[in-house]
Amino acid sequence: MRLSTLSVRPFSAAWQMLVGCHWTRDGLAVAGGILVWMAAVAGSRDAVFAQAAVGDRPSIVLIYADDLGYGDVCCYGATSVPTPHLDRLAREGLRFADAHSASATCTPSRYALLTGEYPWRKPGTNILPGNAALIIPPGRLTLASVLKAAGYATGVVGKWHLGLGTGNLDWNGPIRPGPLELGFDYCFLVPATGDRVPCVYVENDHVVGLDPSDPIQVSYGQPIGHEPTGRDHPELLKMKLTHGHDMTIVHGISRIGYMTGGKAARWVDEEMADTLTDKAVAFIERHRDQPFFLFFSTHDIHVPRVPHPRFVGRTTLGPRGDAIVQFDDCVGRLLQALDRWQLAERTLVIVTSDNGPVLDDGYADEAVERLGSHRPAGPWRGGKYSVYEGGTRVPFIARW
């Protein structure tokens, strides 16, 4: 079903909720609106597919960018960075002009997205360290559990940053509770962020590629192990610092927090976007014959911005601009997968961002120096961490 970017005829109470929640800044949060609308699609009598067989219900792909600003996409006015796949979605679907994330930073936005609850109602939803316990209680109603109960296969791939385990997590054993206890059938995670340890992937309930003879230890207090830090050995860094991010060095980039061990399991930053997208495409392929919900939570364009070499130099904006091109390419690969398996006409695709943009977020990647005329927040004041409009006013594109 194709929706005009100029006019929409609401075809159900569910779609009216979607429009109402996202056109108006004074309505529900974007996160809560998504939750209510998807729940309606899955099970409400008013929803279009409520009375249909499970196999006839639309699949849902929710692509959640990190730190992507309102003005970072061509269809929102950007001229310095090409985003053809996002622009295609806007042409074929609906581009919302007044969409807001639930917070101006990551953990609280993600909490709201999955639970439908404003994060300020829940203590402990501030930006979490990489070794934090899971902040969503297992068994709580979530976006994933609502859709799973309605017969959907559910998966999350990418950045998590909502904690794992119950505290003092042993990264060398089963990692529980996590997304599997919140309604997801499958997960492949960046546990926190790219700039926080541990720098390993978690698939379902274990670290990927971990050598048992090289166990992982993580600390956000005192230093552990003997690995060099950015604070003491800046000469080892391939990306210099502006503030913070001066603890354990992993592949030439120093992070927030200390880790030792797990060398065989550590990710390669330049390969992260491809790794995550491969997993997302594989999830779609596995479940192409049934309704599925994929929460694809990309690392891009969060720091450290280290795009794959094939994207380096694609813009004049430096690594930040190149990371936007890389994100757009990831979106394109998912769209191609939907086209390849003839799923596009029965899949709702949503692209949005967890918060507004930030330039200097701790690494010297020339985001400020090479900005030129580009305006990451578009016409809006402020950005990530800010109470101003640019902190929460984000791109939001829906196609069905």
Side-chain angles (χ1 to χ4, degrees):
M1 184 176 296
R2 300 298 168 86
L3 301 173
S4 168
T5 58
L6 298 177
S7 63
V8 170
R9 178 176 296 173
F11 53 82
S12 71
W15 184 252
Q16 290 172 351
M17 281 189 281
L18 177 64
V19 174
C21 289
H22 301 304
W23 273 120
T24 1
R25 63 175 299 181
D26 295 325
L28 295 174
V30 167
I34 296 174
L35 180 62
V36 170
W37 189 77
M38 288 184 180
V41 169
S44 168
R45 291 184 178 180
D46 291 331
V48 173
F49 293 92
Q51 304 304 320
V54 169
D56 294 331
R57 293 177 181 173
S59 292
I60 301 164
V61 175
L62 173 55
I63 304 173
Y64 207 45
D66 200 320
D67 297 350
L68 186 72
Y70 186 95
D72 279 329
V73 182
C74 285
C75 60
Y76 282 86
T79 58
S80 299
V81 54
T83 55
H85 302 295
L86 292 167
D87 298 344
R88 172 195 167 188
L89 272 180
R91 288 195 307 271
E92 297 177 353
L94 189 65
R95 181 186 68 88
F96 292 93
D98 197 0
H100 289 254
S101 59
S103 179
T105 191
C106 48
T107 297
S109 286
R110 292 161 195 276
Y111 176 85
L113 179 71
L114 289 181
T115 66
E117 178 183 29
Y118 283 123
W120 56 81
R121 299 187 188 277
K122 169 76 171 179
T125 58
N126 50 295
I127 302 174
L128 296 180
N131 62 349
L134 181 66
I135 60 172
I136 303 176
R140 169 169 183 149
L141 188 73
T142 67
L143 182 54
S145 66
V146 167
L147 291 167
K148 183 175 181 176
Y152 282 70
T154 56
V156 52
V157 174
K159 176 180 170 180
W160 181 241
H161 210 186
L162 291 166
L164 293 166
T166 58
N168 299 315
L169 181 64
D170 178 5
W171 294 92
N172 307 289
I175 298 171
R176 304 171 187 147
L180 303 187
E181 286 69 44
L182 299 176
F184 287 104
D185 298 314
Y186 172 78
C187 68
F188 187 92
L189 308 177
V190 174
T193 61
D195 58 345
R196 286 172 172 80
V197 301
C199 298
V200 296
Y201 298 118
V202 171
E203 188 167 29
N204 292 329
D205 61 357
H206 65 277
V207 171
V208 177
L210 179 63
D211 180 353
S213 67
D214 184 26
I216 296 172
Q217 290 182 284
V218 173
S219 171
Y220 276 78
Q222 296 300 314
I224 56 174
H226 303 286
E227 301 197 35
T229 65
R231 182 187 304 117
D232 297 332
H233 293 281
E235 75 281 359
L236 299 179
L237 299 177
K238 66 182 181 183
M239 180 174 286
K240 304 300 182 183
L241 311 174
T242 57
H243 57 275
H245 302 85
D246 59 358
M247 299 176 188
T248 298
I249 298 174
V250 177
H251 296 316
I253 301 173
S254 57
R255 319 284 169 152
I256 300 172
Y258 302 98
M259 77 171 292
T260 186
K263 289 184 174 60
R266 296 182 183 185
W267 64 55
V268 177
D269 296 270
E270 291 86 348
E271 298 174 1
M272 182 180 289
D274 285 337
T275 298
L276 298 179
T277 306
D278 287 346
K279 293 293 183 178
V281 170
F283 178 86
I284 293 173
E285 181 176 12
R286 286 197 304 273
H287 299 287
R288 64 183 185 272
D289 294 326
Q290 66 181 115
F292 62 83
F293 166 54
L294 171 63
F295 178 29
F296 183 44
S297 176
T298 70
H299 177 262
D300 286 328
I301 57 173
H302 196 282
V303 296
R305 301 168 185 132
V306 193
H308 189 277
R310 71 182 185 275
F311 297 105
V312 173
R314 292 282 295 274
T315 73
T316 60
L317 304 180
R320 186 178 184 277
D322 298 343
I324 296 172
V325 175
Q326 180 171 260
F327 168 71
D328 182 75
D329 181 78
C330 296
V331 172
R333 288 186 57 195
L334 264 63
L335 297 182
Q336 290 164 10
L338 295 174
D339 291 340
R340 181 163 60 250
W341 294 306
Q342 300 181 340
L343 300 174
E345 289 296 322
R346 59 183 181 91
T347 301
L348 168 65
V349 180
I350 296 174
V351 179
T352 188
S353 181
D354 62 347
N355 48 250
V358 60
L359 297 178
D360 181 352
D361 209 14
Y363 294 100
D365 60 7
E366 299 184 299
V368 176
E369 295 85 344
R370 301 181 64 172
L371 186 62
S373 61
H374 182 66
R375 301 182 66 186
W380 315 115
R381 183 181 182 184
K384 183 178 181 179
Y385 313 120
S386 168
V387 298
Y388 294 113
E389 190 91 352
T392 61
R393 193 154 177 165
V394 292
F396 191 102
I397 302 169
R399 186 194 75 178
W400 181 22

